[in-house]
Amino acid sequence: MLKPKIISEILNQVLSSSINTALLFSQEGSLLSYATNKCNNIGSPILVSLRDPSEPSKMIAAISSNVWSVYKNNCSFWFEQNQDDYLNMIFLDCEEGKVIISQAGKLLIALVGNNETEIGLLKMKMNTLVKYFNNSLQYVGDSSDN
Amino acid sequence: MGKSGSGKTSMRSIIFANYIARDTRRLGATIDVEHSHVRFLGNLVLNLWDCGGQEAFMENYIASQRNHIFRDVEVMIYVFDVESREFDKDMHYYQSCLEAILQNSKDAKIFCLIHKMDLVQEEQRELIFKEREIELKQRSLPLEITCFKTSIWDETLYMAWSSIIYSLIPNVRMLENSLQNFCSICEADEVVLFERATFLVISHSTKKPHHDIHRFEKISNIIKQFKLSCSKSQTLFQSMEVKNSNFTAFIDVLTPNTYIMVIMSDPTIQSAATAININVARKHFEKIEKMASFR
């Protein structure tokens, strides 16, 4: 089972001045938990003006999960040939920031940093998060047994 | 059991056959005993014996059919019409029934429903009910009884039946503990478990007190109506999520025999997370249900 508040606290620990959002979401793209800096300015002014504070995170979750599934579905041909080699991380270098997506258990995690963030730092933080969540989220979020 | 026209069949139809209160006017008098089997919580089968209340039948039950009617009784529900003019006569039959119960199945639980409370003025209801309750308790000695005031026009009927059902569920403690755990893990304000077919409350766990003590029965009533209107448009009710600025309510199928309602008031908790939690809990509750059926 998920304790959304505690997950949010854990996610909060990876935030820094240059990494402003961390989120956990399902493969279908629905946001489960997130942490974000108070001075959050993901970039586009449209996002900031929205009333629901979780709205920007929801959008990132939706877009990221879509990107993830596109790669996952279309790359399966390569991955099947070599069992050790599978999609485990995606970096997106966007105009107004950097995004990293990875899988933990059956759920996805994304970190969003601004342009000053180094990709190596994002990757290290992500690895730690994934390692932490991998055990605990093993059984959660399997939508196929619905 | 109860006197003719006191509302036994109406009650049964509303709770177990999806009638709405208005429809019960179409019901005629019950002839002899109507048996019905209600599958409740899957493997629990409720054998309801709706005994016609006309005097001829009553005499019959007490005299010639005594063993047949009163043997192996788990629960006797006796319905009193609050407006009845022949109080002494009612009492006479009631006590005869008690006597028969005492002889044939002395471990039976006994519930008395003071029915048609809607006919009494609002201020007097509590007073009259208390009066009757004391009287009934006194006359039922040495048997312990439980009294409820009911009316088919409001939620009191559901409340009474929920408590009756509650006393019949075998491993209710375990269910309750699991529900308590579930409630604290997903940080919900309140979790309520409903039976699927009847939408009676089985158990609940409350973290934040709520001022309306009749809320469960109201919800049972509302959802049942909603289910009916779903079936009119030829779909089946599966689940719903209601959200406003103060809280989010989830109503979803939990096991093949139960529905769960989860109330969350923390806006920072995403609804998808709660949905996943319900999904995960499903397996656990199904296991409990299976265990119950093995016994």
Side-chain angles (χ1 to χ4, degrees):
Chain A
M1 300 200 49
L2 296 177
K3 280 196 144 222
K5 274 199 180 144
I6 291 177
I7 293 175
S8 166
E9 274 166 32
I10 295 165
L11 291 175
N12 205 27
Q13 289 172 15
V14 301
L15 299 184
S16 67
S17 57
S18 58
I19 299 176
N20 49 37
T21 307
L23 23 98
L24 180 77
F25 49 99
S26 69
Q27 304 226 11
E28 293 81 49
S30 43
L31 183 63
L32 298 172
S33 189
Y34 72 104
T36 170
N37 278 343
K38 284 280 176 300
C39 51
N40 183 13
N41 192 355
I42 289 173
S44 163
I46 310 163
L47 291 177
V48 183
S49 70
L50 290 165
R51 243 213 260 120
D52 180 1
S54 67
E55 202 77 4
S57 308
K58 278 184 185 157
M59 284 189 194
I60 299 170
I63 296 167
S64 313
S65 75
N66 193 20
V67 171
W68 181 268
S69 64
V70 165
Y71 272 94
K72 203 180 166 193
N73 294 338
N74 292 324
C75 301
S76 56
F77 171 68
W78 303 334
F79 300 142
E80 269 165 27
Q81 291 178 331
N82 183 354
Q83 285 297 317
D84 297 333
D85 202 13
Y86 56 94
L87 178 68
N88 66 4
M89 228 174 245
I90 293 178
F91 300 97
L92 303 172
D93 200 350
C94 308
E95 203 171 302
E96 301 195 31
K98 288 170 181 153
V99 183
I100 178 169
I101 312 165
S102 186
Q103 185 167 3
K106 286 175 176 116
L107 304 176
L108 298 175
I109 305 177
L111 298 177
V112 184
N114 59 16
N115 282 327
E116 275 98 69
T117 332
E118 296 305 330
I119 283 201
L121 181 68
L122 277 176
K123 187 181 172 189
M124 274 183 75
K125 289 202 174 202
M126 181 55 99
N127 276 334
T128 327
L129 271 182
V130 168
K131 215 188 270 169
Y132 181 84
F133 279 127
N134 239 341
N135 290 325
S136 44
L137 293 183
Q138 234 168 355
Y139 306 107
V140 177
D142 192 356
S143 55
S144 57
D145 63 357
N146 221 333
Chain B
M1 304 201 72
K3 196 173 78 93
S4 156
S6 57
K8 303 172 290 299
T9 309
S10 305
M11 215 177 246
R12 189 191 56 157
S13 312
I14 288 178
I15 301 273
F16 297 103
N18 286 329
Y19 274 55
I20 55 175
R22 201 165 1 111
D23 291 343
T24 58
R25 289 195 188 135
R26 296 203 303 253
L27 293 168
T30 309
I31 307 297
D32 209 28
V33 184
E34 273 178 21
H35 303 262
S36 52
H37 305 274
V38 183
R39 272 191 97 73
F40 193 87
L41 278 177
N43 299 299
L44 214 66
V45 180
L46 217 59
N47 285 314
L48 280 178
W49 289 27
D50 183 2
C51 305
Q54 287 170 24
E55 278 175 33
F57 299 135
M58 284 303 247
E59 298 286 355
N60 215 347
Y61 303 147
I62 293 162
S64 59
Q65 295 187 352
R66 194 180 182 102
N67 285 332
H68 172 63
I69 296 273
F70 291 100
R71 210 182 49 214
D72 296 330
V73 175
E74 272 303 320
V75 182
M76 178 170 85
I77 301 163
Y78 205 97
V79 184
F80 288 95
D81 183 349
V82 71
E83 289 274 89
S84 167
R85 298 284 145 86
E86 308 159 301
F87 189 68
D88 287 328
K89 208 168 181 184
D90 294 351
M91 274 302 167
H92 168 70
Y93 282 124
Y94 173 60
Q95 283 183 316
S96 316
C97 288
L98 280 185
E99 224 169 81
I101 285 274
L102 205 55
Q103 278 174 3
N104 291 292
S105 32
K106 58 182 180 336
D107 293 325
K109 298 188 180 82
I110 296 167
F111 294 91
C112 291
L113 308 184
I114 317 288
H115 200 43
K116 305 196 185 173
M117 273 316 232
D118 51 289
L119 298 175
V120 181
Q121 278 178 7
E122 195 127 24
E123 312 84 63
Q124 293 181 339
R125 280 181 200 172
E126 197 53 38
L127 191 80
I128 291 185
F129 173 65
K130 279 273 163 298
E131 227 169 66
R132 293 280 169 93
E133 189 180 19
I134 291 166
E135 167 104 35
L136 280 172
K137 282 204 163 148
Q138 214 169 30
R139 295 218 188 191
S140 315
L141 292 173
L143 290 165
E144 284 284 319
I145 62 158
T146 316
C147 290
F148 293 102
K149 51 176 192 291
T150 56
S151 158
I152 56 169
W153 299 100
D154 57 28
E155 67 286 340
T156 52
L157 184 67
Y158 285 91
M159 197 163 73
W161 275 90
S162 290
S163 345
I164 294 173
I165 295 301
Y166 181 87
S167 71
L168 289 176
I169 300 173
N171 54 345
V172 78
R173 281 243 59 84
M174 196 168 157
L175 254 177
E176 236 167 19
N177 287 339
S178 311
L179 214 59
Q180 208 86 287
N181 283 342
F182 177 72
C183 186
S184 53
I185 291 174
C186 40
E187 286 153 85
D189 289 6
E190 188 159 57
V191 178
V192 191
L193 199 66
F194 294 100
E195 202 280 327
R196 188 169 190 168
T198 56
F199 244 85
L200 292 170
V201 178
I202 296 169
S203 176
H204 69 99
S205 157
T206 309
K207 291 275 179 281
K208 270 191 200 161
H210 193 278
H211 61 90
D212 186 357
I213 52 163
H214 295 309
R215 59 191 182 285
F216 303 144
E217 291 74 33
K218 284 179 185 162
I219 291 164
S220 297
N221 224 336
I222 292 168
I223 299 296
K224 243 180 140 170
Q225 305 260 357
F226 185 70
K227 264 171 88 178
L228 275 182
S229 30
C230 282
S231 60
K232 267 177 203 148
S233 51
Q234 291 175 355
T235 53
L236 280 175
F237 174 71
Q238 164 90 29
S239 68
M240 63 157 87
E241 184 182 330
V242 183
K243 191 170 189 171
N244 70 9
S245 55
N246 300 321
F247 70 92
T248 315
F250 300 82
I251 298 177
D252 202 346
V253 178
L254 188 65
T255 64
N257 310 301
T258 52
Y259 271 95
I260 194 167
M261 180 176 77
V262 184
I263 307 288
M264 311 280 285
S265 64
D266 190 336
T268 61
I269 296 177
Q270 300 299 321
S271 56
T274 312
I276 282 192
N277 275 343
I278 294 177
N279 213 351
V280 174
R282 205 162 273 151
K283 282 180 203 140
H284 177 69
F285 281 95
E286 271 166 14
K287 220 185 279 167
I288 293 183
E289 222 164 71
K290 279 214 189 90
M291 274 167 59
S293 62
F294 279 132
R295 279 184 197 164

